Amino acid sequence: MEDNVAELQKHTSTALFNALNVVCKKIAPAWSLQHFVAVNPYMGLTELKFTDAAKDLAVAAGIQMTLPVSFYLKKLEEQQITINDVAIVLSKKYPNEKSDVNVFLNKLRDFDDTEKQSDIILTVADTACKATGKDWGRFVTTRVAAWAATYFDQGQAIWATTNPDESIYTSWKKEAAWDFNPEIMGLAGFRAFVKSLPDNPLQAAQFALGSLGIPEEGLSIYLHRLLLRVGGWAAYIARVDFDNKLYGNGDEKLVELLAILICWEACLLNTIKDTEIQLQWRDVCANLALAPIKGELDSSLTRKLILQEAFDLAMQNKLIARLQSSQQAARPYAIAPKAHAIFCIDVRSEVFRRNMELVDNAIETLGFAGFFAFPIKYIPLGQQEGQAQCPVLLKTGPVIAEEIPENKLHKQAVTKRILTHQVNQLWKSFKSGAVSCFSFVSPMGLFYLPKLFTDSFGITRPVPHPDSTGLTAANSAKTRVSLSYARHGKDTLGIPLDQQVEMAKNALTAMSLTSNFAPFVLIVGHGSTSVNNPHATGLDCGACGGHTGEANAKVAAEILNDELVRKQLNKSGIYIPENTMFMACLHDTTTDKVTVYNEYILPADRVAEWKDVKISLELAGKASRAERLLRMAVDPNQDADDAIMARSKDWSQIRPEWGLAGCSAFVVAPRSRTKGINLGGKSFLHSYEWEKDHDFKVLELIMTAPMVVTSWINLQYYASTTDNKTFGSGNKALHNITAGVGVVEGSSGDLRIGLPWQSVHDGAQYQHEPLRLSVVIEAPLKAMNDVLKKHASVRNLCDNNWIYLLAMDTEGKVSHRYTGNYTWEIVNQPEAC
């Protein structure tokens, strides 16, 4: 009999775990501020059609995936959207609405979607809030967030109040059992109820669900709503699960958080002494049995989805028209380019590349993911732990350490940097100590006045740049990357020669750069410069895991300049001339300045030749700064260089640059297809020549990595614009860093994820308008279909309309649009613009 009971419990726990796990998969991961990575917040919903996901999220939590109708009506008035665009969407996607486009539009003008949609799916907290007038939902979120901030703290807190070695559920239960706040708020017997919960999270969830009486039919959407209530911390824990899965570890931690939220619901229901709540909750459960209830939302939401798709189509047609005219506008490159410049595909590079080609037609630019196919783990000088310098979809490769070649000087620099860090930590502890902080301000405050003055007027930088902290300018200039074998703690450093050759071959092949090398090849990573900016890493390179591309550029140049590597590449058919030099560079996207790190390799007889290239870099930077300044709220009479530089070190600046705001297109083709046209810093540009890709392995790599990553970026900006409350991080001016991993808006509440409102809106208008990514690839249709057939996750993005896939023909014109299920329609060429 006992065996039967045990088996039944095991079966029940497995079924419950699977049910909880399915819901948890709907939550997209979110990375910490230190490694901020743009991620598609709808990632767990891409198996659904875009429209179905919009309806599900609207029902579950009132989440918006479009802007209000007024936005689209204004676009119609401005003729950014035409009546024909709306008619096409109505006829193809929504045949029930196709009777009369004018009738449809007239109804919209009388439609008011500004009223808040009433919640359809209610929780116990929602029910209690309606019955008592107390915001129990906010209270629960605050308590869960306060516990999570201590459990996941990354060194910000002076005192540790939780044990990170304990499981999530165990840690929460211990704290909740001693937390007096719920009982002060009126939850009599809260701690006793918590102590009575089983120690196993699944058993606790099972017990709580039994107490709540949730019907099976409505369980999934109810659980989804619970997670979305603390969506920030849920997303952070989903990232922990994401990394565990990537590196082969088990342990689904988000399931434990969901168990905690279920237990909180049971605690509320059993400790609020209000008969009315019990009665109302029964009605809620009865309604949940009929869930999902979508009828009353369908009509209004469908209208907005039609308008959104018409907006997507209208802007896509403008892109197609520009690409169509590019062949007439483009100037051919010089016969023998004096330099190749390989930039990240980032939309900000489009501005610099275009200006560089304008000031010097003898420089040929290419686009490639900013880690340059060198997925390394990089350990800066004086640090023990490294950082992943590659897209989060990939595992890190070799471990590379920064060093100063002179051994004595290296040891001195490391010692000084460590000492500087330790002194800074002690000083921070003193300033924030419970006793010393009171005696700090009065005697020490006056000494800060000169610094406050110079910082406020942009004369000095408020804090040293993290890359130069503890290093003199001379030592910083002498740092190198070491590819030699060594040991560093538990890590093995360096890259063996055969691996260097393989990495170099893969990188050059993927770049479509295997012949006709210019005398100089610039490998240009990118990063940004700003101060007092918690989201600073969000302006760095997403392809480098939210870091700058400096380390990757240095490693790539070091390997590709190696004579032994070149000899081995020659055997593979890739001949790099002896006079070709690979230069490691970094493009600062805030200031549009380019730093070159390995000029020390230049022989004396090549300095003048290289100086000519550097002049072109400086001129391109000046032109790019002037162009970017047009988007900034800056006095047009102010000097562009001075204004841009000031923003990079202004500690009150909430918009040091616009990042990737506006990103809406991804063009995978030779640069000749886009050269000569202004894409406005809104297009990712990846160099690709399909004729050289004999087995289409490079195409597969592009469609499964850069195409996915660019869709992540695009949809993060999309979601942060359409529903910043849920998928954005709110007002930057109200941010406070919590646990060293993220921000809260104000003094408490859920972890805020996504982009601040100031990253998508300038105070008067949107700087990022919600458009799904249009991906244009010059490749045979069959080759692209083969990739889609092989990779279901990529196919979901295209078939379910999360992105638009278009094909470019051999004449450089967009010829076909993907319509799903491996079928394509011919694109009618719009008028050139």
Side-chain angles (χ1 to χ4, degrees), residues 114-140:
T114 59
E115 293 184 10
K116 186 180 183 298
Q117 177 66 45
S118 59
D119 293 326
I120 291 179
I121 304 301
L122 299 179
T123 63
V124 173
D126 298 324
T127 307
C129 179
K130 287 188 173 185
T132 66
K134 292 182 179 179
D135 193 347
W136 288 107
R138 181 176 179 83
F139 176 73
V140 172

Side-chain angles (χ1 to χ4, degrees), residues 240-350:
V240 176
D241 286 343
F242 182 93
D243 284 349
N244 285 340
K245 183 178 180 181
L246 183 65
Y247 290 96
N249 301 322
D251 198 12
E252 301 284 351
K253 296 184 181 298
L254 188 53
V255 169
E256 290 193 56
L257 176 67
L258 184 50
I260 291 169
L261 299 177
I262 297 168
C263 290
W264 251 109
E265 287 277 282
C267 288
L268 285 175
L269 188 62
N270 285 275
T271 57
I272 297 180
K273 305 306 180 183
D274 191 317
T275 307
E276 183 63 25
I277 293 176
Q278 304 289 334
L279 294 174
Q280 289 185 20
W281 179 244
R282 291 176 190 172
D283 293 337
V284 169
C285 288
N287 289 331
L288 276 172
L290 302 175
I293 306 168
K294 301 177 181 178
E296 64 185 84
L297 283 176
D298 276 357
S299 178
S300 62
L301 183 56
T302 297
R303 291 189 185 101
K304 290 188 283 185
L305 289 169
I306 290 170
L307 291 172
Q308 177 60 49
E309 190 156 351
F311 185 40
D312 288 331
L313 178 63
M315 295 300 103
Q316 189 180 103
N317 284 336
K318 291 183 183 296
L319 171 67
I320 293 170
R322 286 196 183 114
L323 294 174
Q324 179 181 334
S325 65
S326 67
Q327 301 311 300
Q328 291 76 37
R331 293 184 298 160
Y333 284 112
I335 295 175
K338 65 184 178 187
H340 283 115
I342 306 166
F343 287 81
C344 181
I345 61 176
D346 188 288
V347 298
R348 292 165 292 182
S349 298
E350 186 271 330

